[in-house]
Amino acid sequence: MADTAWTLPKLQQHIQDLYGAKDQARGLEGTFMWFMEEIGELSAALRIRDAQALTLEFADVLAWLATLANVAGVDLNSAMQLKYGLHCPGCLHHPCRCEAEKP
């Protein structure tokens, strides 16, 4: 049985393999607009609390985030490790001890 677990590198490569040429042709601004449209669709699914719609919209947002990162030349795995790999970037603790709602 094939490994079905997704990792950030596997996600980015899969999206690159499927859509890379189209994504590069669309460019950063066009890709960002599509990403924002998917955020809006996720927002609508959250409001109506439709489990199937939520599942699909979360997948779309993640796919378009990977697309945007690919077009921008950002390795999501490295970015996550850099910012969140060791501790909270705000208070520098693990788990977070920030007093503010958002670190």
Side-chain angles (χ1 to χ4, degrees), residues 25 58 63:
F58 270 110

Side-chain angles (χ1 to χ4, degrees), residues 10-28:
K10 183 177 175 180
L11 168 68
Q12 273 192 269
Q13 188 60 56
H14 183 71
I15 295 299
Q16 179 65 30
D17 293 346
L18 283 174
Y19 307 112
K22 289 170 64 174
D23 295 338
Q24 289 300 325
R26 184 185 320 102
L28 199 53

Side-chain angles (χ1 to χ4, degrees), residues 79-102:
M80 288 298 296
Q81 184 62 36
L82 178 65
K83 184 151 187 182
Y84 296 101
L86 299 175
H87 43 64
C88 168
C91 67
L92 307 180
H93 287 94
H94 186 279
C96 176
R97 297 182 194 163
C98 290
E99 297 292 324
E101 184 176 323
K102 179 182 174 192

Side-chain angles (χ1 to χ4, degrees), residues 25-79:
R26 184 185 320 102
L28 199 53
E29 288 183 12
T31 299
F32 183 74
M33 295 304 293
W34 278 104
F35 175 67
M36 293 307 296
E37 181 174 318
E38 292 302 333
I39 294 289
E41 291 175 9
L42 176 60
S43 175
L46 285 166
R47 279 193 308 275
I48 64 173
R49 299 176 190 226
D50 178 320
Q52 183 176 358
L54 275 173
T55 297
L56 297 176
E57 294 306 334
F58 270 110
D60 284 346
V61 166
L62 189 56
W64 279 99
L65 179 63
T67 298
L68 191 58
N70 286 344
V71 173
V74 172
D75 179 308
L76 288 173
N77 193 64
S78 295

